[in-house]
Amino acid sequence: MKKPLKVTITGAAGNIGYALAFRVAAGDVFGPDQPVILQLMELPMTMGPLGGVGMEMEDCAFPLVHDVVLTDDPKVGFRDTDYALLVGAKPRTKGMERSDLISENARIFSTQGRAINEYASREVRVMVVGNPANTNAMIAAANAPDLPRERFTAMARLDHNRAIGMLAKKTGALPGDVKRMIVWGNHSPTMHTDLTHCTVKGQPAMGLVPEDWYREVMVPTVQRRGAAVIEARGASSAASAAASVVDHVRDWFLGTPEGDWVSMGVHSDGSYGIQEGLVYSFPVTCKAGTYQIVPGLEVTAFGTERMKVTEKELQDERAVVADLL
Ligand code: NAD
Ligand code: LMR
């Protein structure tokens, strides 16, 4: 039997955390033969509901779950953890932008970055979901100086999956027929969906949809999808967000499918002219807990212009949190 992986989920009694913890426990992330020890974290005032999550976890009798730790103490929650999924943070409500959450959420990630630096496994992988996710991932990494910053990533997968879903619907294909989607940049209204290299059933996507639909409908719809869900549901996306965390971490751990790539918020190494050190969504391939930014892709003039806009927004967010870096 494999050694259990320790998996921390912060905000585990929240909307996303509640959906996510049971998928991890069922083997949907690390595979059907990989045992896990779940280290579920909450705030002191939410330890009551977290106790209920613990009861339900026990009641599921998942064969892969070797232990469940419920805690509000970062020292316990991040102790020796192999995967830290940082979900716990305030969500936005109607009329807000994700960047409006910086003042409330940023400090969570400097504190947790320091705790991860001190207590986590030296091989830890960290994924940030709490918004604004890209900047929060940069903050967490900056506060964990003993760990390589490549271990800190931010979720762009929900945007990637939204773009796939939308294109599949438009072309009458299945989501699984869509390959090589890219969403560049910040998880925000400036993110840029790029179909230049995307295929549907092996056919170039740009030949299957009108260019003005792509530019004037698809790009803004993906940018604004989070707000549209909040408007309709009265709460921010949760099941789809949890499913995207599953996809992000599974692919990071087990690898991306041959011939395809995924969008992931990672520290820029200067690729595609994006300022080094920003956490920016790039197309990446993954293998056994590592990722590589897909090199040398052609970018159109339209794409270059949009990629700069979202880069600028990340630079502005970084300036706001300079005291935490
Ligand atoms: P929620 O309010 O339902 O749950 C958040 C939970 O986190 C709460 O139970 C809260 O008690 C807990 N929490 C807050 N601070 C914590 C801390 N320091 N340590 C541990 N737990 C803490 O919110 P939600 O809908 O689950 O969303 C969580 C976050 O994810 C929000 O910031 C939301 O904007 C973000 N989000 C990001 C994406 C993305 O694509 N990156 C998608 C959806 C939501
Ligand atoms: C999303 O994209 O659904 C999340 O980031 C939640 C939000 O605030 O839009």
Side-chain angles (χ1 to χ4, degrees), residues 167-178 200-201:
L167 184 64
K169 192 169 167 191
K170 177 74 177 171
T171 57
L174 294 172
D177 297 327
V178 179
V200 182
K201 293 187 189 163

Side-chain angles (χ1 to χ4, degrees), residues 24 34 53-54 59 102 148 159 167 211 224 241 247 250 288 323:
V24 174
Q34 175 60 61
V53 176
D59 298 346
I102 285 189
D159 312 302
L167 184 64
E211 172 119 15
R224 289 277 168 202
D247 289 347
R250 183 200 57 228
D323 61 319

Side-chain angles (χ1 to χ4, degrees), residues 9-18 40-47 49 71-72 74 78 86-93 98 101 104-105 107-109 111-112 127-134 136 154-159 162 187 191 226 230 233 235-238 240-242 244-245:
I9 302 175
T10 68
N15 284 301
I16 298 172
Y18 181 68
L40 306 181
M41 279 177 68
E42 261 298 341
L43 293 171
M45 64 193 176
T46 335
M47 285 306 289
T71 186
D72 57 6
F78 292 121
L86 307 186
V87 179
K90 209 170 167 192
R92 66 173 164 156
T93 47
R98 297 180 189 93
L101 293 167
E104 303 213 39
N105 285 345
R107 255 168 226 292
I108 296 174
F109 296 88
T111 307
Q112 292 184 348
M127 175 191 192
V128 175
V129 177
N131 277 319
N134 299 53
N136 289 338
M155 181 151 95
R157 190 59 173 270
L158 180 53
D159 312 302
R162 284 168 172 164
H187 175 62
M191 69 181 91
I230 292 171
R233 225 173 77 82
S236 82
S237 61
S240 58
S244 300
V245 180

